[in-house]
Amino acid sequence: MQKAKLAILASGRGSNAVALIQASKSADFPAEVALVLSDNRDAPVLKKAEELGVKALYLDPGPKRSYLIPEVEASWIQALQENDVDYVLLAGFMRLLKRTFLEAFPLRVLNIHPALLPSFRGLDAQQQAWEYGVRYSGATVHFVDSSLDAGPIILQEPVKVLPDDTPQSLADRILEAEHRIYPEAVRLLCQGRLRIEGRRVKILREWNSKEAHGK
Ligand code: GRF
């Protein structure tokens, strides 16, 4: 079967992008990473993706700090469509996507968040969890909708908070969990094995060729 085409949108370090690109290189992975886009010219993710043989582009994010204005959003959508992208994966992308973007890729945009949603949305989720004193935090992969860190949840992995943890050591272990569950969620998605029922995402046992990455 033909592989789905993925784009990764990232603003910084790019460790999740690297995990996704590496997973996609295995022969039985149902998708390939066609493109990495960044709103940050200096983002390490651009170089890392190129070193792994993936096309990586900086795109002008326009005048606003936390989102793309409509004209800019249109140019990002165009870049994705020109590269025949089926699914968009946010991996440390520091801007909210608006409805026009999400409507161009309905139920085809995923995000990774470093906490067990719906707890600790927003920035510095690992620090928020550590300060709150939870015994477990973790990582979540979810569909993106127009509210912050709130779409239907695909996979989560809990991470125990240890007595000697600092926010950084907790974040490091959460990151390891992120690198496990993000490729796994993408695999399920591209195999057509995710069915959204309200807020709940059902994981089908069998590969579903009818739902697998048709346009
Ligand atoms: C990750 O912790 C991710 O969950 C959050 O931003 C961070 C990005 O890290 N959304 P990296 O750029 O993938 O290394």
Side-chain angles (χ1 to χ4, degrees):
M1 186 174 197
Q2 206 196 339
K3 291 192 173 206
K5 286 197 174 184
L6 310 172
I8 299 172
L9 270 52
S11 304
R13 176 179 59 181
S15 71
N16 278 287
V18 167
L20 288 161
I21 293 168
Q22 281 170 343
S24 73
K25 289 184 185 283
S26 107
D28 68 346
F29 199 81
E32 61 181 319
V33 180
L35 182 64
V36 170
L37 291 182
S38 184
D39 57 343
N40 171 8
R41 202 189 291 279
D42 302 320
V45 67
L46 292 173
K47 193 158 174 267
K48 289 180 185 174
E50 268 175 9
E51 282 169 3
L52 290 166
V54 174
K55 181 168 165 186
L57 300 174
Y58 160 76
L59 282 192
D60 187 350
K64 298 290 179 189
R65 216 162 57 92
S66 60
Y67 66 97
L68 308 171
I69 60 169
E71 298 81 350
V72 174
E73 208 170 53
S75 66
W76 282 62
I77 294 169
Q78 193 185 346
L80 295 166
Q81 289 173 340
E82 280 171 5
N83 285 276
D84 290 325
V85 165
D86 296 299
Y87 299 104
V88 178
L89 311 175
L90 309 185
F93 186 64
M94 303 305 284
R95 286 165 202 272
L96 270 182
L97 295 173
K98 301 273 191 186
R99 192 161 297 155
T100 324
F101 189 102
L102 298 175
E103 281 172 1
F105 295 94
L107 296 176
R108 285 162 183 274
V109 185
L110 266 53
N111 183 42
I112 179 98
H113 185 72
L116 293 178
L117 291 173
S119 294
F120 311 120
R121 291 178 178 159
L123 291 177
D124 298 324
Q126 307 95 326
Q127 172 108 21
Q128 290 184 52
W130 183 85
E131 281 174 4
Y132 197 91
V134 292
R135 298 295 185 199
Y136 286 88
S137 190
T140 303
V141 181
H142 63 96
F143 285 103
V144 173
D145 64 15
S146 50
S147 27
L148 178 67
D149 299 330
I153 289 168
I154 301 170
L155 291 179
Q156 293 187 303
E157 183 174 321
V159 172
K160 194 169 167 49
V161 182
L162 302 175
D164 294 337
D165 262 333
T166 60
Q168 186 58 51
S169 64
L170 177 60
D172 291 344
R173 288 203 310 291
I174 291 175
L175 194 63
E176 290 172 15
E178 295 180 38
H179 297 166
R180 284 189 287 272
I181 64 171
Y182 212 173
E184 184 52 26
V186 173
R187 176 193 295 276
L188 295 171
L189 177 73
C190 296
Q191 289 178 335
R193 290 172 60 194
L194 300 180
R195 181 165 302 153
I196 304 181
E197 298 177 349
R199 269 216 57 89
R200 300 171 61 83
V201 178
K202 193 167 172 185
I203 298 177
L204 308 175
R205 264 197 227 160
E206 302 289 332
W207 169 296
N208 183 340
S209 61
K210 257 196 248 148
E211 291 185 29
H213 73 84
K215 294 246 183 203

